[in-house]
Each structure stands twice: as structure tokens, then as C-alpha cells.
Amino acid sequence: MSTARRPRADARRNYERLLAEADAAFAERGIGASLESIARGAGVAIGTLYGHFPTRRALVGALLRERNEALFELGDRLVADNPPGALATWVRAVTEHASTYSGLAALLAGGLDDEASELHESCLRMAGTGERLVALARASGTLRPDATGADITALTTAAAALREDLSAAAADRLVALCLDGLARRP
Amino acid sequence: MSTARRPRADARRNYERLLAEADAAFAERGIGASLESIARGAGVAIGTLYGHFPTRRALVGALLRERNEALFELGDRLVADNPPGALATWVRAVTEHASTYSGLAALLAGGLDDEASELHESCLRMAGTGERLVALARASGTLRPDATGADITALTTAAAALREDLSAAAADRLVALCLDGLARRP
DNA sequence: ACCTGAACACCGTTCAAGT
DNA sequence: ACCTGAACACCGTTCAAGT
């Protein structure tokens, strides 16, 4: 059934080199780092980069693949086990994930509504996990009844932006305050 | 005492044209809009733009001058009168101000620590007003004793970023939740 | 005193030509 | 099947030459 072919050895090598170089560049100079400099650093022509990754988002998506899997694994486990503080754990994990590269938070926020985005699927899945954890917390009476999954999406997006614009400490504090605001009053 | 001279008529006209064109460009395409296109739209050479505004931030600062005055006037009045909900009013006003152009929130956040920034002074003043309003609210017992001015800076920065990345509704909701988290428990 | 625009360095994206 | 790099369009910034 599979129509997949083994890629040519040089293609595979270029692919890996581009990923490694892009990761370094995005980590250092943010998600807007020049694609030309990435191609140069990987030792390939600019056309080769575009051959493997037609858009910047495709490159980001490929880089995030492993991190996404780890994140979703955590999410599934939290939903299944529903341990105390599951929601807070999830919010912190997503915030960290969205802070992998500076500028990523905005890209992820945009990927939620943009079906054409290579990040759309993982954004949807993150939102879905948030919804489920909110439903669980509400059912167990630890959350305001009007809390929604959208609140969690907003909170993680805001916290990730704060990490970029101000500091991780400010972001952590905001998360704590908001979760406090979301908690059910005794 | 004043060493100020009346500017040449054409200089003044170019200055005003550049401001008008920049306001339109920043409002439409965000704070990163091309300076070359702004100069073109204003009908002047690119060097003329640099002559009047040596950095992008200087241009933004000039555009915000009037808005800043209105904001500070509101802030001073809130501090003087300390009406109910003063802190919430201030947070919403600053959030709106930081959302004037897309991308401005990040610039303002950076201007707080960067003394070289043309926006530094107004950032400091905003933070100062926040501090005073927090002190007033704490003194009147409506705020958690551990609340700080930094919390207000973080909240407005986060809300402005949310407006850009998600929606104004999400931002308003976050502000409400955080202010709830900051309120003194009865 | 101010304006002009060429000059330089850089980037995103495409695509004909190569291997 | 993949890679190369020239080509095009665009931008930030500076500065010598003009008025």
C-alpha cells in the first residue's frame, strides 16, 4: 500500500542538517531568523531549503514534531489519571512548549484558526486536551462553572507572550493569578 | 533661553505628512510596516524620514505623544480621586493604549528596561501610575497584600498581546480573571 | 537647514538548468 | 529525484551631493 520511497541519501542528510541549523537559529534569534542564513549554515543552497520546507511554518512544524509528541503524551496521561493540579500542570507544560522559540506563541495562536497552517492539527489537539481537563475539573467542583477551554488557550498564549516580552517570572505569576481567578470559591 | 528655532515650512510639512502616513501604515500593517513604503506614501525620500525620525521607535514615540498625554491625564485623575474600580479602569486603558498598533505591546514591554528607548519615559510613568493604584487598593483592603505594580504591568502586557494573537474578548476575559485572582478574599 | 536618491548589505521566493 | 544559484522584488540604513 505504501507509496513511500526511501529518500536519496544526500536528501536525507540535507534534511537533517537543515533541521539542526534551523533549531539553532530559531533558538538564538527567534522564529523569524533568516532562511537564507539557515541554508548557508546547513551548507546547502536556498532552493534546497524550499524543496524540503515550502514555508517557514513547515520548518517549524517539523522541528516541533518530537516535542509535540511528548506534550500530547503528557496531556493524554493527565486526562486519563486526572491527578490533583492536572490543569495547572497542563497550562505550565503548554506555556513552556509555546516558548520553545521566541515568536512561536503568536504562530501557535494563529494556527488554531488557520486550517492551512502546518501547525493547525497540533493546535487543535492542544485545545482539545485543555477542554477535557476543564470539564474534569468542573465535574470535580474545583473550577468556576463558567470556566471554558478557551480560557486555558488564552492563558497559555498570554503566558508564553509574557515570557517573551517580560520574563518567565511574570508569566508564572500570571498563570498562578488566573488559575486562582478560575478556582471555585469555597 | 530657548534655542528652538521655527522649522522651515517644508520641513514641518514633511514631518506632518510622515506622521500621518506612518499612523495609517502602522494601523493597517502593524508596527513593522516598511519605512520605505511610508516615505513613499508621504511623498518624500527615505533620507527625509530618517532625518526626522532616526529610529522606528522615535517615529512610534512621536505618534503616541497625544495618546500618552490622554492616558496620563486619566491615570493622574484615578490616583487623585481613587474611585471604585480605579485599578480595573487603568488596566483596561493601558491595554487599549498598548493595542494601538499591532506589535506595540512588545515594544512597550521592551521600553521599560531599555533606557535608550524613546518610549522609556512613558513606560516608566505608566508603571508608576500602576504602582500607586496598587498601593491605594491595598490600603483600602480590596487587594491581596502580595499584589504589586509588576503584576499590573504584566497583566496589561499580556492582555495587549492576547488582543493581537487571539481576540479582544479573550483579553478582556483574562483581565477579569486576573483581577479576580488579585482581589482580597473575603 | 533640509532634502534627495544612489549605494551597500541583506532577505524571501521562484524556477530553469544541471547532476 | 534532488540540488544549485541566478533572478526578481523588496527592505534598512547611511551619506555625499544638492538646494
Side-chain angles (χ1 to χ4, degrees):
Chain A
M1 280 298 302
S2 169
T3 59
R5 297 273 172 277
R6 262 177 117 244
R8 240 165 61 178
D10 58 342
R12 172 147 199 90
R13 219 193 40 197
N14 287 339
Y15 181 89
E16 299 294 348
R17 279 192 185 173
L18 281 165
L19 277 187
E21 187 68 26
D23 177 60
F26 289 163
E28 204 172 328
R29 307 191 293 277
I31 216 113
S34 141
L35 297 179
E36 201 149 298
S37 75
I38 291 172
R40 245 191 335 260
V44 302
I46 182 62
T48 304
L49 187 153
Y50 276 91
H52 285 287
F53 309 104
T55 68
R56 187 181 294 270
R57 283 192 320 248
L59 183 48
V60 173
L63 281 169
L64 289 182
R65 203 141 301 169
E66 284 175 31
R67 278 181 214 263
N68 272 326
E69 278 172 35
L71 183 70
F72 292 141
E73 211 172 304
L74 169 66
D76 293 346
R77 207 169 49 222
L78 288 172
V79 169
D81 300 354
N82 194 22
L87 197 52
T89 302
W90 176 246
V91 167
R92 293 204 186 90
V94 175
T95 300
E96 198 115 355
H97 181 259
S99 308
T100 305
Y101 308 118
S102 120
L104 178 56
L107 214 63
L108 290 179
L112 234 182
D113 292 314
D114 179 6
E115 292 189 27
S117 168
E118 289 86 347
L119 307 169
H120 184 238
E121 218 183 344
S122 41
C123 288
L124 276 185
R125 202 163 155 194
M126 277 187 239
T129 299
E131 301 256 22
R132 274 180 218 107
L133 289 173
V134 163
L136 286 171
R138 274 173 49 177
S140 70
T142 58
L143 213 61
R144 277 159 65 138
D146 66 328
T148 69
D151 289 336
I152 301 309
T153 300
L155 178 53
T156 53
T157 302
L162 265 192
R163 277 188 164 228
E164 290 174 16
D165 293 348
L166 276 182
S167 70
D172 290 347
R173 174 95 163 132
L174 185 91
V175 168
L177 286 176
C178 276
L179 289 177
D180 234 51
L182 279 170
R184 178 168 193 106
R185 300 280 165 268
Chain B
M1 279 298 303
S2 169
T3 61
R5 297 272 172 277
R6 264 180 115 242
R8 239 167 57 180
D10 59 341
R12 172 145 198 92
R13 219 193 39 196
N14 286 340
Y15 181 88
E16 299 296 349
R17 280 193 185 171
L18 281 165
L19 278 186
E21 186 68 26
D23 177 59
F26 289 164
E28 204 171 330
R29 308 192 292 278
I31 215 115
S34 143
L35 297 179
E36 202 150 297
S37 74
I38 290 171
R40 243 191 336 262
V44 301
I46 180 65
T48 303
L49 187 152
Y50 276 91
H52 285 287
F53 309 103
T55 68
R56 185 181 294 270
R57 282 192 320 248
L59 184 48
V60 173
L63 281 169
L64 290 183
R65 203 142 301 169
E66 285 177 31
R67 279 180 213 264
N68 271 327
E69 278 172 35
L71 183 70
F72 293 142
E73 210 173 304
L74 169 67
D76 292 346
R77 207 170 48 220
L78 289 172
V79 169
D81 300 352
N82 194 23
L87 196 54
T89 302
W90 176 246
V91 166
R92 294 205 184 90
V94 176
T95 301
E96 198 114 355
H97 182 258
S99 307
T100 304
Y101 308 119
S102 122
L104 177 57
L107 214 63
L108 290 178
L112 197 65
D113 292 315
D114 178 6
E115 291 188 30
S117 168
E118 288 86 347
L119 308 169
H120 184 238
E121 218 184 343
S122 43
C123 289
L124 275 186
R125 203 163 155 196
M126 277 187 242
T129 299
E131 302 256 20
R132 274 180 218 108
L133 289 173
V134 163
L136 285 172
R138 275 173 49 178
S140 70
T142 58
L143 213 62
R144 280 160 62 140
D146 66 329
T148 69
D151 289 336
I152 301 308
T153 299
L155 177 53
T156 53
T157 303
L162 264 193
R163 275 188 167 231
E164 288 175 16
D165 293 349
L166 277 183
S167 70
D172 290 346
R173 175 96 164 131
L174 184 92
V175 168
L177 286 175
C178 275
L179 289 178
D180 234 52
L182 279 171
R184 179 168 192 104
R185 297 284 165 267

